[in-house]
Every structure is written in C-alpha cells, then in structure tokens.
Amino acid sequence: MPRLSPTLILIIILAAIAAVAAIATTILETGLVLTVTSTILAVILALAAVAEIVGLIDRVLGHSSTVSAPRASLTNNLQNCGDNPLDLGNQTLSVSAALGMYFVSLLERPNSYVRFQGQLSLHPSADPLNTFDEIINQLLVPDGKHLLILASQGGMGKSTIAAQIIRCLHERKAIKAIYGDSAKAEYYDFSKSQFVNIDQPFTDPPTFLNLLRQQTGLPPVSTQNLKLNIRELRDHILDTRAIILVDNLDTVDLRAELVSFLRQLISPELRVIVTTREVQALDVDNRNLMIAHLNPLTEVRIASDFLSWHVEKHLVQSPHLSRLLPDLHNDKLVNKLIERTGGIPLIMQIVANEIAVFSWDRLDELPENLFGHELLAYLYDSAWHDLDRQGNSGQLAKQILRFVARYSYEGTRITSATLIDQFTDSSYEGDLQDALRHLYERFLIINNDMKKGDFSITPSLAGYVVSKLKHGDSN
Amino acid sequence: METVTDNPPATTALDWPELEALAHEMQQPGTGALNQNSSSMAEIDTAITTILEAGDYHSLINLRLLFNFLLARDTATGFSVVQRLELESIKSAEKLVDLQHLADFLGARGHNLHRFGYHEQAIDAFSCAQHIYLDLGQEFSALKSYYMTSLCLRALGNARAATTVLNDVLASVSLSDPWRGNPLQVKAWLLQDQGDLEEAEQCLREALALQRQVADGQILVAGTLADLGEILGLQGRGDEAFVCFDESLDLIREQEGQYARQEARTLLKRAQLLIRLKRYDEALGLLEDASIAIGSAGHYYDLFWRLEYARLEIHLRKHQFRRAIQKTRSVLTYRRHLSLSNTLLLKSAIRRSILRVGPPR
C-alpha cells in the first residue's frame, strides 16, 4: 500500500482547516470577505489534494512508468540475455566516455561472459540457483529493486558481469543510456608525466551530482542546496531509460551519503549499479537495494568448464592454449590450480596462459602465502620482469601496455592502425607482432577484433602499469 | 574558407601537420572524436595551453581556424575545450587588433550563444560583429549579423522588433539570392506565431527552394524541412509532415553525429506531431532519443526546456500529474538558468494554444 506523501498530508490538513474556517466565519457572521477568502482557499487546497490523490492512484495502478520495458515475467527465459555484443558505433546505446575503454570493450566484446552456478550470491535471495536471472528480473520490472551493488575482490569479474547485465537490459529495451564513472582518486597525466590528485573524489555526492548533471545535459548547480539539486536531476532524468554505473569504488559504506544519494535517484526508468571491492554495514534497509557477491570458482567441474571457455575464446590470439585442453579433464591438476589461485577467474586465466607456455610446474613456483590482489600483483610483477628478458620486443611490449593504459583512461579506442602509427618507426626497436605475441601469451592484453584490432587491458593491469610509472619505471 | 596558410605563420612549436590530420579526422562523419573526454579534445587543450604560454596570438587564431568546424557544427560547441578555444581566439584577435577575425569570431559566438539559449548575450555578440563589419566595409557580413538578432529577439518574445529586422534584411537581399532562404525561414516562424500557417508554409517552401541551391546546404535544408513538417502537421497534413521529418533526419544522419542539436530539434518537432495524434509513447521515445543525443554535448538548454515542455504536455494528457509537476519544475529549471521569463512562457503557451500553432518557443 503506497504511503501518503507529506505534501498530500499537509494539503489535506490545510484544506480541512480552511473548510472549518469557512464554515465558522459563515456561522459566526464575521464578514463576507473572510468567508469568501476561506472558501476559496479551501477549494484551491481541495483541488490540489485531488491532483495529488490522482497521482497516487497513477502509481497504485502502475501508470507512473511510461517508457519502461514491458513488465518481465519472473519465468522469462534469461538464459542468453546479454550474450549479444553491442555495436556502439550504431549508437544504439549512449555510453559515458568517463567509464573508460575497458568497460566499453566489455560491452562490445562477443562471448565476454560465461555463467556458472554459484558464481553470484544475493542476500536475501528468492532463487539462489538463478541469481543472475533474479537480479535481471528485479532490474527489469518498474517497481523492482533498481540499485545493485556488486562486491568482490579484484579479478572476480565485477565489471564483466556489470557489462553483461547492461547488455541484457539494453536487449530488453530497458535502457538507452549509461551514465557514471570509474572511481579514481587520482589519474596519471601522461602529457606531464605526473599524477594528479582529484581534489574531490566523486564519492562525495555533490561532485558526483555535478558529473551526472553534466552527462545528462543539466546546467551547473545554481545553489549549494543538495536536496534541491538532487530533485532537479531526478525531475530531469525522468522518462529517460538509463543506468548509472559507479565502477571500481573501493569500498561502499551503505550508510554513507553516496549510496543514500543514489537511492534517491532510482525510478521505474533509472537503475544504478555499483561495483566495489568491499561492502560495509550490511545490516541496512535493503528496500530497492540488492547486494550481490561474486564467489570464487571452487568446484573442479566448474573451473574446468571455465578454463575450456577461456581456451576457446582466446585460441586465435594464443594458439599455445590448445596444449591445455587435454589436461582440463585431469581433476587433480585443475584442483591444484584452484587451490593456488584461490579460484579467482582473472588469476586463473593468467596462470593458465603461463602453464600453456611453460608447464603445470608453474603452479609450484607461485608463492603459497599470496592470494587475491597480492597474488595478482605478484603475477604482474613476474610478467613485467619476464618482458625485460625478451629483448627489444619485450621492451616494446611494455611500451604498448603503457600506451593502452593511457588511452583506457582517456576513452580512446586503440586499433591495429593506432599501434602501427605509434610504434612502427625507427625510435622503437623490436617487432610489433612479436611484442603483441608476448602480451597475448601472458594474457596481458585483450584484442576484441582480430581484423582491425581493438585493444584493451584490465583495470587492475592498467593500475599496475601506472603504479610502475609512479615509482619511476619508465623503461 | 580561410585556412591556416592564409594567415601569418605560427611561431609556437606545435606539430601542425598532426593537428591538421586530427582536424581532418574529427570532421568525418561517424568519428568517435566528438566526445568531451576524448584524447582529441585533450590534444586541442594542450595546444591551446602551449600557445598561450608562448603568448603567440597568431597561432591561437590559426588553431581556431583549423578547428572552426567544431564551433560551426552543433555537436561539440558546448564542450569546455571548444568553449576555451572560442574565447581565447576572440581575446587573441582583440589583442592583435585583427578586426576581420574578431568580427568573424564574434559572429560565430553569437550563433553558439543563441543555440544555447543565451539570447541577450547573443544579440550583444552579433551587434559587435555587425559594427566591426561595417567599419571594414563588409556590408553583407554586417547584414548577416544583423539578421541573426531577429532570431534572438523572437526567442525573447519581441516579435515586433524581430519583424522589423527581418523586413530590413529581406529588403536588402535580392529575390534570387540563395541566402535569402535563411531570413525567409525566420519569417515563416513569425507567421506561424501569428497563426498564419498557410503563409508560413509558403515562406518555407520558398526558403527550401533557395537553400537547396546552396553548396553544402544540406543542414540548412534539414532545418527548414523540420519546420515545414511542423507547419504541415499543424494543418492536419500528418502524412506529408512525416515525409518532411524523415528527409530532414536522413540529411542530418548522413553527417553521423556532427549535428546532434539539429537532429534533436527535428525529433522534437516530430514528437510534437505525435503528441497531437495521441501517440504518446512513440513521442516519449523520440524525446528520449533527442535528450540523449544532446545530453552529453551539453549547453543546449534552449532545446532542453522545450523537450521537457513536450514531456509535460504528454503527462498532462495522460493524467500523470505527479510527473507533469516534475517536468514543469524541469522546464523552469532550464528557463531560470537562461533568465527567461515565466510570464512570457505562460502567455505564449495560452496564446499559441488558442491559435493552435504549436507549443511555446
């Protein structure tokens, strides 16, 4: 049962007072002017109350949604929803460039996501076996929960799943625009070779509000009244089927202003997805809110299927991956891989590529006391030093990574032509094809288009490359 | 068109061939470089900074000429880098007492201010440009700046002054001059405002015939087709109207992203016809597309409040009063930012509703 808004309650009270005043002045014969004034006021307030009540009826009858996607049945088949890549060149979906090229590439990449049972956990969940479907259904229906927080450590695939969800929503005609940003507390200005701190990180609601206002075409704020500014944005964005993505927020405090602010924006047409490494304060009102955790791949069968998918997907770029295929039915080997990598998909992919180049003995070389982001950093370090041992083509490979990292931040597509323009002159020794081969072998670069080239690197690797620059490694 | 090589050589050490290649790439239809955060914009920004640090005003002007299309076409004019280029080039021309470029740049600024909705500032810019052109003895250029004030005056609700300007302009231009199509188009708007739809249609057809003779005049034609579609729709000739809207959109979309504002304008007019035909959901879809098209370009507030007004109308007709209230607030937010009178809006809405000439401007 929808609640009566404070505005409506106030109007009803004032109307009642005015009506009583009108009656009283009539009975007491206090004067025509006072009687007429009270009567007119009572009539006006009554009309306002009627308008509010009609609006309330609109909402009860579900008429408040106008441009939403058709109401999704909970039995809707969502098995392949979001599998088709988006062709952003045809501008079927407007994407904020602030989200970076890695996320854009996830939207455009075919077969970028593979579902596994147990991959996602939702609290509380009505359907634990089909969490992805449950999330989509909530996001699709106009009165569903439209704020989703995807939480996990790095390398689990948060951005990949967020992209899959967005593709699915777009397929179902639930969204036409993506707004938002990838959270950065600082960025590296390559032209000046220095880090620049962002004074007001966008976890600050006024800053994020300004960003959204700019992205959606609102004028700059004219007042510091946050409530008013939020209302202006909400009024403006009404009727626009959109999603706000807040990607790579380190920590989300559910009581914090940003989440509270995001909650105020959601509507039948507007959804919000936040990806984060950590969620604090779980014990909160989860009305309109879903919190989903990504789980490591711990079952041998599932890990084996995942690795088969990885091999199939990247075989063209890295033909040596075919060596892995016979071993993926060896439960002992796969189990060892799970144990040493913690079942984190990205780490499994990197290590699988190394195993394909060297051997399964590579697993014994991994430090036993490192997991998660520390293990990822170790693997990147190891790959970085290994590139040093590959001569000129290894050095060129590192240059390519720096170049792609830069343009990932700036929202520019890197094609084969771009790399050829940039790197085939006498100032770069080493063969471009050899350099790319090194990167493919180590799963350090992703190419979504083997004909024209469409290169990107994961945010974690981009962060690693930039951190190397911060520590003076420009070689 | 004036090029970099027509002007004093640049002295600041920039990679001009690379900038020229960038400019060439950004002008192509379907380019992804028309993006506020793109590296292309960053390159232009860096070039501006480098030039200003060197105090090289000639180079600033050359840079502006190279990227003139960013200001002439109406997708990127609101981007902060493009705005910076515009303002710094005006300052450079002032410093060099380069009256020719100053007049040209002020005229272009007037166009952009008008597109954004800052009509009074646009009138100031056009008036300055007009006076400088007259000092330079360039009467036709002065006339064009003077003509543009009529659009701004009309937008501010001063139909009488707008009509005076237009009559002066039309009297000064020969009947066969293709440029005459532009003031005829505006005359049609004024006729529409007065309720004279048949005359307005006549004017627009005459304007179209002239504009089709202009080399590279497709966008002019697209704009006039959208207006003609609107007039036909108001006269109950919906089928003919949709043909005009379709042709307008086809012409704009050939440029793939270079004229986002024009596309949104045509979509709005089409949506307004759909509203009259009670096809509300279709109209909302078009309004959504229009908003998204110009949203990231930013600053086209004059068009935005009209998009919001169309939504307000839909919600009223569908008895969705809460949404109507929200959209009313949104209309007022934009108009407040543009310092446009709400009394004027109300008067215009009532008057135009009675005359059945479409929503307020």
Side-chain angles (χ1 to χ4, degrees), chain A residues 42-94:
Chain A
V43 167
I44 290 170
L45 289 168
L47 286 173
V50 166
E52 277 287 316
I53 290 168
V54 172
L56 180 62
I57 293 171
D58 279 348
R59 290 198 302 282
V60 170
L61 294 178
H63 287 167
S64 56
S65 159
T66 56
V67 198
S68 313
R71 192 180 183 88
S73 157
L74 288 179
T75 59
N76 222 0
N77 181 10
L78 295 169
Q79 181 62 31
N80 299 316
C81 190
D83 282 354
N84 292 323
L86 294 176
D87 180 2
L88 295 177
N90 281 329
Q91 300 178 337
T92 56
L93 180 68
S94 167

Side-chain angles (χ1 to χ4, degrees), chain A residues 5 51-52 54-55 58-59 63-67 89 91 94 96-98 176-177 179 191 213-220 222 231-232 234-242 267-269 407 410-412, chain B residues 35-40 42-43 46 80 118 256-257 263 281 284-285 288-289 291-292 294-301 304 308 311 315 318-327 329-330 333-334 336-337:
Chain A
S5 70
E52 277 287 316
V54 172
D58 279 348
R59 290 198 302 282
H63 287 167
S64 56
S65 159
T66 56
V67 198
Q91 300 178 337
S94 167
S96 165
K176 290 198 88 170
Y179 304 117
S191 62
R213 288 178 72 104
Q214 187 193 41
Q215 290 177 350
T216 58
L218 266 175
S222 55
R231 193 184 76 178
E232 282 182 357
R234 225 183 19 241
D235 289 346
H236 171 60
I237 212 167
L238 190 69
D239 295 332
T240 302
R241 288 169 288 171
S267 73
E269 291 96 15
Y407 284 97
E410 293 181 8
T412 302
Chain B
N35 166 334
Q36 179 115 248
N37 295 318
S38 73
S39 59
S40 307
E43 269 188 68
T46 303
S80 53
Y118 304 120
E256 285 185 69
E263 184 173 353
D281 286 349
L284 276 174
E288 186 184 50
D289 289 342
S291 292
I292 290 170
I294 58 170
S296 57
H299 294 260
Y300 293 125
Y301 306 132
F304 254 120
E308 296 291 69
R311 290 190 178 97
H315 291 311
K318 291 178 81 172
H319 305 137
Q320 292 167 342
F321 297 114
R322 188 176 196 85
R323 285 186 170 238
I325 289 170
Q326 286 179 273
K327 284 302 169 187
R329 288 198 299 237
S330 200
T333 295
Y334 279 108
R336 189 167 49 245
H337 176 77

